[in-house]
Amino acid sequence: MADRTIRVLLVDDHQVVRRGLRTFLEVQDDIEVVGEAGDGDEGVARAEELKPDVVLMDVKMPGTDGIEALRKLRDLSNPARVLIVTSFTEQRTVVPALRAGASGYVYKDVDPEALARAIRSVHAGHVLLQPEVAGALLSQDEPGNGTGRGGSLTEREKEVLGLIADGRSNREIARALVLSEKTVKTHVSNILMKLDLADRTQAALWAVRHGLTN
Protein backbone atom coordinates (compact mmCIF):
# COMPACT_ATOMS: atom_id res chain seq x y z
CA MET A 1 0.00 0.00 0.00
CA ALA A 2 1.25 3.51 -0.75
CA ASP A 3 2.13 5.94 2.01
CA ARG A 4 -0.73 8.19 0.95
CA THR A 5 -3.91 7.69 -1.05
CA ILE A 6 -3.72 9.00 -4.63
CA ARG A 7 -6.64 11.39 -5.25
CA VAL A 8 -7.99 11.01 -8.79
CA LEU A 9 -10.40 13.19 -10.81
CA LEU A 10 -12.22 11.58 -13.78
CA VAL A 11 -12.91 13.84 -16.78
CA ASP A 12 -14.92 12.17 -19.57
CA ASP A 13 -18.12 13.15 -21.35
CA HIS A 14 -19.51 9.60 -21.17
CA GLN A 15 -21.14 8.83 -17.84
CA VAL A 16 -20.90 5.08 -18.45
CA VAL A 17 -17.13 5.35 -18.92
CA ARG A 18 -16.77 7.40 -15.73
CA ARG A 19 -18.88 4.90 -13.81
CA GLY A 20 -16.76 1.99 -15.05
CA LEU A 21 -13.52 3.75 -14.15
CA ARG A 22 -14.82 4.67 -10.72
CA THR A 23 -16.00 1.12 -10.03
CA PHE A 24 -12.58 -0.29 -10.77
CA LEU A 25 -10.45 2.40 -9.15
CA GLU A 26 -12.43 2.43 -5.92
CA VAL A 27 -11.35 -1.15 -5.15
CA GLN A 28 -7.69 -0.06 -5.20
CA ASP A 29 -6.40 0.43 -1.67
CA ASP A 30 -4.19 3.38 -2.62
CA ILE A 31 -6.48 5.24 -5.08
CA GLU A 32 -9.51 7.40 -4.27
CA VAL A 33 -11.81 8.93 -6.90
CA VAL A 34 -12.55 12.39 -5.47
CA GLY A 35 -14.77 13.68 -8.28
CA GLU A 36 -15.97 13.59 -11.88
CA ALA A 37 -16.50 16.05 -14.71
CA GLY A 38 -18.25 15.75 -18.07
CA ASP A 39 -16.22 18.22 -20.15
CA GLY A 40 -12.96 20.15 -20.16
CA ASP A 41 -14.22 23.35 -18.54
CA GLU A 42 -15.90 21.45 -15.73
CA GLY A 43 -12.74 19.37 -15.37
CA VAL A 44 -10.60 22.47 -14.91
CA ALA A 45 -13.03 23.91 -12.36
CA ARG A 46 -13.19 20.64 -10.43
CA ALA A 47 -9.41 20.29 -10.48
CA GLU A 48 -9.07 23.76 -8.98
CA GLU A 49 -11.71 22.94 -6.36
CA LEU A 50 -10.67 19.42 -5.39
CA LYS A 51 -6.87 19.60 -5.87
CA PRO A 52 -6.51 15.99 -7.09
CA ASP A 53 -3.11 14.35 -7.46
CA VAL A 54 -3.94 12.86 -10.87
CA VAL A 55 -6.52 13.83 -13.50
CA LEU A 56 -7.64 11.07 -15.86
CA MET A 57 -8.63 13.13 -18.92
CA ASP A 58 -10.41 12.12 -22.11
CA VAL A 59 -9.18 13.90 -25.25
CA LYS A 60 -12.33 14.13 -27.35
CA MET A 61 -15.10 15.99 -25.50
CA PRO A 62 -17.71 18.53 -26.62
CA GLY A 63 -16.83 22.15 -26.01
CA THR A 64 -13.45 22.37 -24.32
CA ASP A 65 -11.53 19.21 -25.19
CA GLY A 66 -8.83 17.54 -23.14
CA ILE A 67 -5.92 19.35 -24.77
CA GLU A 68 -7.41 22.79 -24.20
CA ALA A 69 -8.26 21.81 -20.62
CA LEU A 70 -4.60 20.80 -20.16
CA ARG A 71 -3.46 24.23 -21.33
CA LYS A 72 -5.86 25.92 -18.92
CA LEU A 73 -4.61 23.82 -16.00
CA ARG A 74 -1.03 24.72 -16.91
CA ASP A 75 -1.91 28.43 -17.11
CA LEU A 76 -3.44 28.13 -13.63
CA SER A 77 -0.26 26.39 -12.37
CA ASN A 78 -2.41 23.51 -11.16
CA PRO A 79 -0.04 20.84 -9.78
CA ALA A 80 -2.17 17.82 -10.76
CA ARG A 81 -0.52 15.27 -13.02
CA VAL A 82 -2.67 14.60 -16.09
CA LEU A 83 -2.99 11.16 -17.67
CA ILE A 84 -4.63 11.37 -21.09
CA VAL A 85 -7.12 8.67 -22.18
CA THR A 86 -7.17 8.15 -25.92
CA SER A 87 -7.85 5.52 -28.58
CA PHE A 88 -5.59 4.00 -31.22
CA THR A 89 -7.42 6.05 -33.85
CA GLU A 90 -6.56 9.27 -31.99
CA GLN A 91 -2.78 8.77 -31.86
CA ARG A 92 -2.22 12.10 -33.59
CA THR A 93 -3.66 13.83 -30.51
CA VAL A 94 -1.07 12.37 -28.16
CA VAL A 95 1.82 14.62 -29.19
CA PRO A 96 -0.18 17.87 -28.77
CA ALA A 97 -1.40 16.58 -25.40
CA LEU A 98 2.16 15.94 -24.22
CA ARG A 99 3.22 19.36 -25.46
CA ALA A 100 0.30 20.87 -23.51
CA GLY A 101 1.57 19.32 -20.29
CA ALA A 102 0.23 15.77 -20.00
CA SER A 103 2.40 13.36 -18.01
CA GLY A 104 1.51 10.45 -20.27
CA TYR A 105 -1.35 8.60 -21.86
CA VAL A 106 -3.23 5.32 -21.84
CA TYR A 107 -5.48 3.77 -24.46
CA LYS A 108 -9.19 3.38 -23.78
CA ASP A 109 -8.96 -0.40 -23.88
CA VAL A 110 -6.18 -0.46 -21.28
CA ASP A 111 -6.15 -3.38 -18.88
CA PRO A 112 -7.55 -2.20 -15.50
CA GLU A 113 -4.42 -3.20 -13.60
CA ALA A 114 -2.26 -1.40 -16.16
CA LEU A 115 -4.39 1.71 -15.67
CA ALA A 116 -3.80 1.60 -11.93
CA ARG A 117 -0.06 1.21 -12.51
CA ALA A 118 -0.09 4.17 -14.90
CA ILE A 119 -1.84 6.35 -12.31
CA ARG A 120 0.70 5.35 -9.66
CA SER A 121 3.53 5.98 -12.10
CA VAL A 122 2.59 9.54 -13.07
CA HIS A 123 1.80 10.32 -9.44
CA ALA A 124 5.34 9.25 -8.56
CA GLY A 125 6.68 11.78 -11.05
CA HIS A 126 7.30 9.50 -14.00
CA VAL A 127 6.64 10.48 -17.62
CA LEU A 128 4.89 7.76 -19.66
CA LEU A 129 6.50 8.19 -23.06
CA GLN A 130 6.06 5.18 -25.35
CA PRO A 131 8.39 4.48 -28.31
CA GLU A 132 5.93 5.35 -31.07
CA VAL A 133 5.28 8.76 -29.50
CA ALA A 134 8.98 9.41 -29.03
CA GLY A 135 9.38 8.76 -32.76
CA ALA A 136 6.61 11.21 -33.59
CA LEU A 137 8.24 13.86 -31.42
CA LEU A 138 11.59 13.34 -33.09
CA SER A 139 9.97 14.04 -36.46
CA GLN A 140 8.22 17.17 -35.17
CA ASP A 141 11.11 19.11 -33.65
CA GLU A 142 9.91 22.67 -33.16
CA PRO A 143 12.09 25.77 -32.83
CA GLY A 144 11.48 27.68 -29.64
CA ASN A 145 11.10 24.65 -27.37
CA GLY A 146 14.59 24.84 -25.90
CA THR A 147 16.24 24.02 -29.25
CA GLY A 148 19.90 25.00 -29.34
CA ARG A 149 20.13 25.82 -25.63
CA GLY A 150 21.54 22.52 -24.47
CA GLY A 151 25.05 23.97 -24.41
CA SER A 152 24.20 25.89 -21.25
CA LEU A 153 23.52 22.67 -19.31
CA THR A 154 26.18 21.27 -17.01
CA GLU A 155 27.18 17.62 -17.30
CA ARG A 156 25.27 16.86 -14.10
CA GLU A 157 22.16 18.58 -15.45
CA LYS A 158 22.43 16.50 -18.63
CA GLU A 159 22.58 13.36 -16.47
CA VAL A 160 19.49 14.46 -14.57
CA LEU A 161 17.69 15.33 -17.81
CA GLY A 162 18.47 11.92 -19.28
CA LEU A 163 17.01 10.22 -16.23
CA ILE A 164 13.88 12.40 -16.42
CA ALA A 165 13.45 11.22 -20.01
CA ASP A 166 13.81 7.62 -18.80
CA GLY A 167 10.76 8.19 -16.60
CA ARG A 168 12.60 8.44 -13.27
CA SER A 169 11.11 10.35 -10.36
CA ASN A 170 13.20 12.80 -8.31
CA ARG A 171 13.65 10.17 -5.63
CA GLU A 172 14.91 7.61 -8.14
CA ILE A 173 17.25 10.16 -9.74
CA ALA A 174 18.63 11.01 -6.30
CA ARG A 175 19.35 7.34 -5.63
CA ALA A 176 20.93 6.78 -9.05
CA LEU A 177 23.25 9.79 -8.78
CA VAL A 178 23.81 9.58 -5.00
CA LEU A 179 22.33 13.03 -4.42
CA SER A 180 19.72 14.44 -2.06
CA GLU A 181 16.19 14.95 -3.43
CA LYS A 182 16.56 18.66 -2.67
CA THR A 183 19.64 18.82 -4.91
CA VAL A 184 17.80 16.97 -7.68
CA LYS A 185 14.88 19.42 -7.44
CA THR A 186 17.36 22.29 -7.81
CA HIS A 187 18.87 20.67 -10.90
CA VAL A 188 15.40 20.15 -12.41
CA SER A 189 14.49 23.80 -11.77
CA ASN A 190 17.73 24.94 -13.41
CA ILE A 191 17.13 22.69 -16.42
CA LEU A 192 13.62 24.07 -16.95
CA MET A 193 14.88 27.64 -16.59
CA LYS A 194 17.84 27.20 -18.96
CA LEU A 195 15.76 25.47 -21.63
CA ASP A 196 12.75 27.75 -21.12
CA LEU A 197 10.43 24.78 -20.58
CA ALA A 198 7.28 24.61 -18.47
CA ASP A 199 7.57 21.21 -16.78
CA ARG A 200 9.43 17.90 -16.63
CA THR A 201 7.24 16.40 -19.36
CA GLN A 202 8.50 19.00 -21.82
CA ALA A 203 12.01 18.39 -20.48
CA ALA A 204 11.64 14.67 -21.24
CA LEU A 205 10.49 15.47 -24.78
CA TRP A 206 13.45 17.81 -25.27
CA ALA A 207 15.84 15.10 -24.09
CA VAL A 208 14.34 12.59 -26.55
CA ARG A 209 14.71 15.03 -29.43
CA HIS A 210 18.31 15.80 -28.55
CA GLY A 211 19.54 12.29 -27.86
CA LEU A 212 20.02 12.49 -24.10
CA THR A 213 18.10 9.30 -23.30
CA ASN A 214 19.90 6.15 -22.21
Side-chain angles (χ1 to χ4, degrees):
M1 182 180 295
D3 294 335
R4 187 172 71 85
T5 300
I6 303 170
R7 294 163 47 83
V8 175
L9 172 66
L10 306 177
V11 183
D12 194 295
D13 60 316
H14 293 101
Q15 185 176 6
V16 172
V17 173
R18 298 199 308 270
R19 185 179 301 134
L21 289 170
R22 177 184 282 274
T23 298
F24 167 71
L25 293 175
E26 284 186 338
V27 303
Q28 304 297 309
D29 291 337
D30 59 339
I31 297 175
E32 176 190 5
V33 177
V34 296
E36 302 179 16
D39 59 49
D41 281 334
E42 185 184 4
V44 172
R46 295 288 278 165
E48 285 293 284
E49 172 194 355
L50 297 170
K51 307 299 182 190
D53 300 307
V54 176
V55 178
L56 203 58
M57 180 96 71
D58 190 13
V59 175
K60 298 293 186 181
M61 294 182 287
T64 298
D65 64 13
I67 294 174
E68 182 60 28
L70 266 164
R71 295 191 181 106
K72 290 184 177 182
L73 286 173
R74 188 174 66 185
D75 290 344
L76 291 168
S77 299
N78 190 290
R81 309 277 290 176
V82 178
L83 187 60
I84 284 289
V85 182
T86 187
S87 71
F88 285 103
T89 59
E90 297 167 345
Q91 281 194 30
R92 68 173 63 91
T93 67
V94 172
V95 171
L98 290 167
R99 293 198 191 284
S103 297
Y105 70 97
V106 293
Y107 291 120
K108 290 183 177 179
D109 61 352
V110 65
D111 176 85
E113 291 297 335
L115 174 61
R117 288 195 299 271
I119 289 171
R120 295 181 187 113
S121 182
V122 298
H123 177 250
H126 297 190
V127 176
L128 299 183
L129 186 59
Q130 298 183 22
E132 68 270 22
V133 175
L137 288 163
L138 285 167
S139 67
Q140 294 183 22
D141 196 5
E142 295 181 357
N145 281 339
T147 304
R149 300 178 185 176
S152 65
L153 297 177
T154 66
E155 288 304 312
R156 178 63 86 187
E157 287 166 351
K158 289 178 181 178
E159 286 182 303
V160 171
L161 183 54
L163 290 170
I164 289 173
D166 289 341
R168 305 287 190 92
S169 66
N170 284 353
R171 178 175 297 181
E172 290 171 332
I173 293 171
R175 288 174 179 168
L177 299 180
V178 195
L179 300 171
S180 69
E181 283 191 62
K182 183 177 180 180
T183 298
V184 172
K185 288 179 182 178
T186 299
H187 284 313
V188 173
S189 296
N190 289 340
I191 289 166
L192 297 180
M193 179 183 67
K194 288 181 178 181
L195 298 180
D196 192 24
L197 300 173
D199 53 41
R200 64 192 296 127
T201 302
Q202 290 187 2
L205 304 186
W206 191 96
V208 169
R209 288 192 212 103
H210 295 84
L212 292 183
T213 53
N214 294 326

